Amino acid sequence: MALLLVVPMTAAGAEDAEDSRDRVVHPIAPRGMNAPQLFTFGSLALPRTTNGPNDLAIASRGRRAVIVADDYLQVVELHGSRMVLGGRTTAAFGEQVALSKDGTTAYVLSDGDQLFVVNVAAKRPKVVRQLRRGAFAPSHAFDIAVTPNGRMLLVKHGFVLGGHGKGKGIATLSLVKPRKPKLVRRNRLAEWGGDVEVARNGKLVVTTSRTVDDYVLIHGVRKKGRLKLAKRLRLPFAPDGIAITRDSRTAYVSSSMTESPGRIARIDLRKRRLVKVVDPPLFEDGTDIAVAPDGRAVLATMWGGASTGTPSLLALDAPGLSSGFVGAGEALYAPQAVEVSMAGSTRGRYYVLSYVGIEGGRPHLHGFTYH
């Protein structure tokens, strides 16, 4: 099945979309704009699941991807344009996943109060450690991220209705021994539900928070995992996904599933200011966002489905965010995560993780390149 079909841009792309739902790509930019064009290079069927998958992580060397669902962890080996199923385990499951610097250890966050440490280099992934609640965060954990140098695991945590513990902020776990993470610091910060991302230079941590006031926090990284708030930027929408450019100068933030129509913001990390907020046509119910290694294209996923003709994939030029394509298709139902490889033979390739509903089924991992 062809997932994407690149078509010439028209000025009325957004309007034409309503009358051409048999097409899988719709142009949404004015004529003459230089939008990224997406091409699929492969699609891999994943094991059946009752719900999910939920998240995707790609090793820093671009050779391995790890996928987590509500009932399993799946390893996928990446070789250029090929994707090959690796080992799988049902002993680890969850909503968020992060990988160690060498890509051999996965950290899986489950239900906000459990952290699995998994050896994913083995033929069959094996849980080597399991941390609960206060052992890695003093309250409900929202998201996790490994620093580029591989020395720390950051856990964003805070309050939720019916949650455990108290306090909000970012906990720092030492990864001197990658398979024995140890809580070394609790940074008390105004963190609520949202994501956490670390800049590639290792000097900045960017988080999103959804509360009465929706905002982005930019933290400076100090010694021994201490974080110091550098800037608080209020947003006109409920934020979720974060993508930071390779040069650590720009961050892109997408709106959450609660926002319709959806929005995308560009933030200058050097000047610590909000530069631009756009509401691209056909973009709503955002789930994740990624930026190309050269910083010239942004890919965002949406809660869309082929049955309603709703798009589920959006490609925009960067940094302008002024033109692009949207994609849909039965195999692209409600993608939950998008990641881009930053190194190796897979550098610059996007990987999109499709979703299955409560009736279960076979999700897919889709591969895309752009020009």
Side-chain angles (χ1 to χ4, degrees), residues 100-303:
S100 60
K101 184 177 181 180
D102 62 6
T104 63
T105 305
Y107 308 96
V108 181
L109 181 62
S110 179
D111 292 329
D113 64 357
Q114 191 169 201
L115 184 70
F116 294 101
V117 183
V118 187
N119 174 10
V120 294
K123 187 174 182 180
R124 181 185 177 94
K126 181 181 179 181
V127 176
V128 296
R129 191 166 294 270
Q130 188 173 351
L131 305 179
R132 297 182 181 275
R133 295 194 173 183
F136 70 96
S139 58
H140 182 92
F142 298 112
D143 196 18
I144 56 177
V146 173
T147 55
N149 60 14
R151 298 177 182 175
M152 295 181 290
L153 174 68
L154 303 182
V155 182
K156 175 183 168 74
H157 64 91
F159 297 115
V160 294
L161 186 63
H164 67 278
K166 60 181 180 179
K168 55 185 181 292
I170 298 177
T172 303
L173 280 70
S174 170
L175 296 181
V176 172
K177 297 180 179 180
R179 294 179 183 171
K180 294 183 179 180
K182 180 181 179 181
L183 181 62
V184 294
R185 181 176 294 275
R186 294 177 178 176
N187 298 283
R188 296 182 179 180
L189 302 163
E191 300 288 350
W192 296 85
D195 286 6
V196 57
E197 193 75 23
V198 187
R200 194 172 179 83
N201 63 10
K203 297 179 180 180
L204 294 174
V205 172
V206 181
T207 67
T208 54
S209 287
R210 299 182 297 274
T211 179
V212 177
D213 292 326
D214 301 310
Y215 53 84
V216 165
L217 294 182
I218 303 173
H219 307 289
V221 180
R222 301 294 185 263
K223 294 182 179 179
K224 298 181 180 179
R226 185 171 71 90
L227 303 181
K228 183 178 181 181
L229 178 63
K231 189 71 174 182
R232 180 182 185 273
L233 298 174
R234 188 173 180 180
L235 296 177
F237 60 87
D240 190 14
I242 310 166
I244 301 177
T245 55
R246 189 182 180 90
D247 60 11
S248 303
R249 296 179 177 181
T250 305
Y252 295 93
V253 176
S254 63
S255 57
S256 70
M257 288 176 54
T258 61
E259 291 283 326
S260 183
R263 300 180 187 180
I264 295 177
R266 178 162 64 93
I267 296 172
D268 187 328
L269 295 180
R270 291 178 300 174
K271 297 181 179 180
R272 313 283 199 268
R273 68 186 183 91
L274 180 63
V275 177
K276 192 173 189 178
V277 177
V278 299
D279 51 348
L282 306 177
F283 180 61
E284 58 182 21
D285 304 328
T287 55
D288 202 6
I289 190 170
V291 61
D294 60 8
R296 296 177 60 186
V298 171
L299 196 66
T301 51
M302 301 172 274
W303 187 270

